[in-house]
Amino acid sequence: DTGVSQDPRHKITKRGQNVTFRCDPISEHNRLYWYRQTLGQGPEFLTYFQNEAQLEKSRLLSDRFSAERPKGSFSTLEIQRTEQGDSAMYLCASSERTSGSLGHQFFGPGTRLTVL
Amino acid sequence: KNEVEQSPQNLTAQEGEFITINCSYSVGISALHWLQQHPGGGIVSLFMLSSGKKKHGRLIATINIQEKHSSLHITASHPRDSAVYICAVSQGGSEKLVFGKGMKLTVNP
């Protein structure tokens, strides 16, 4: 399977705990995006990497959120001191940006986080 | 007002009907995307377009840049078309997506 994968698919945690999610993009894709989707809403942009550089972060991404893409391949999203409002589906997408062309974003299956 | 608006929010149709989903946006874009989301969360990109019209099977997407409006048409709808259809626009150098709320389509046999 050469699609975008995310792990875990589901995470239940207690308020105040830290959680970390992983995203493995399509191997040749240089761009990686994290989005968050709450029930009944469209996804919202969180952050974006080009290769290993984190180039843009949404104001939605509070101090408790941190994302990395250390070698320009997989990425992790960590949420510290989780709150009930963090409960959502966390989606990862990747794309290949080449000079002069826009890239389709390919989405992973998402990680559903429930904070009790 | 959201930057990307979709209408209607929900639609129930009978198998075989022609379906149109509308999307309006209020910001500058590099491209407009139509995506499909099935229960359980998986999102699939259907179309990415910056002008004109694209067709894939029974699906047709059009965009009017001047009017900042796009439509997704489904011909000869089928129950397997039941899903949430999301319009999104890509912005800026990152081409991050700004999403509409989505439209839930139910096609009854």
Side-chain angles (χ1 to χ4, degrees):
Chain A
D1 185 7
T2 58
V4 179
S5 61
Q6 292 186 245
D7 183 70
R9 296 288 305 276
H10 303 272
K11 178 71 177 179
I12 300 174
T13 191
K14 293 183 179 178
R15 185 164 49 95
Q17 297 294 305
N18 299 343
V19 294
T20 300
F21 310 141
R22 176 178 170 126
C23 170
D24 286 88
I26 294 172
S27 59
E28 62 269 24
H29 284 185
N30 54 0
R31 293 188 162 195
L32 187 147
Y33 304 82
W34 284 99
Y35 298 95
R36 179 173 69 186
Q37 185 178 27
T38 53
L39 201 61
Q41 303 295 316
E44 296 174 298
F45 170 77
L46 292 179
T47 190
Y48 149 72
F49 291 85
Q50 180 154 320
N51 300 311
E52 67 276 8
Q54 187 176 19
L55 297 184
E56 188 171 347
K57 288 167 57 172
S58 166
R59 64 183 183 278
L60 295 174
L61 216 63
S62 76
D63 293 347
R64 299 183 297 105
F65 288 71
S66 62
E68 294 182 341
R69 194 183 183 197
K71 296 181 181 178
S73 56
F74 73 92
S75 176
T76 58
L77 177 68
E78 181 183 16
I79 309 174
Q80 295 183 325
R81 305 180 303 280
T82 52
E83 302 173 356
Q84 287 184 325
D86 298 330
S87 296
M89 175 76 85
Y90 289 83
L91 294 161
C92 176
S94 69
S95 72
E96 182 180 21
R97 178 65 156 97
T98 57
S99 176
S101 72
L102 301 173
H104 276 273
Q105 291 190 24
F106 292 81
F107 284 81
T111 294
R112 183 170 296 283
L113 173 66
T114 302
V115 181
L116 302 176
Chain B
K1 187 179 187 299
N2 292 333
E3 293 172 312
V4 181
E5 297 275 1
Q6 290 187 238
S7 63
Q9 291 188 343
N10 292 280
L11 181 63
T12 299
Q14 289 300 121
E15 184 173 357
E17 286 185 3
F18 179 84
I19 292 164
T20 296
I21 306 166
N22 295 302
C23 175
S24 298
Y25 56 94
S26 57
V27 294
I29 68 171
S30 51
L32 184 139
H33 304 249
W34 282 102
L35 308 127
Q36 182 190 57
Q37 186 171 32
H38 283 283
I43 292 178
V44 174
S45 176
L46 298 174
F47 294 102
M48 180 175 70
L49 64 167
S50 54
S51 65
K53 176 180 174 179
K54 288 190 176 181
K55 184 176 188 292
H56 186 260
R58 296 180 294 107
L59 302 179
I60 303 166
T62 63
I63 187 169
N64 184 318
I65 298 293
Q66 286 73 31
E67 295 187 2
K68 294 187 174 180
H69 181 269
S70 176
S71 294
L72 176 68
H73 306 285
I74 305 175
T75 61
S77 60
H78 190 276
R80 66 175 174 266
D81 297 326
S82 298
V84 175
Y85 291 84
I86 305 174
C87 173
V89 298
S90 49
Q91 288 188 307
S94 69
E95 294 166 19
K96 67 182 181 188
L97 295 181
V98 178
F99 294 82
K101 288 188 176 181
M103 189 219 74
K104 183 175 181 181
L105 173 65
T106 303
V107 182
N108 292 321

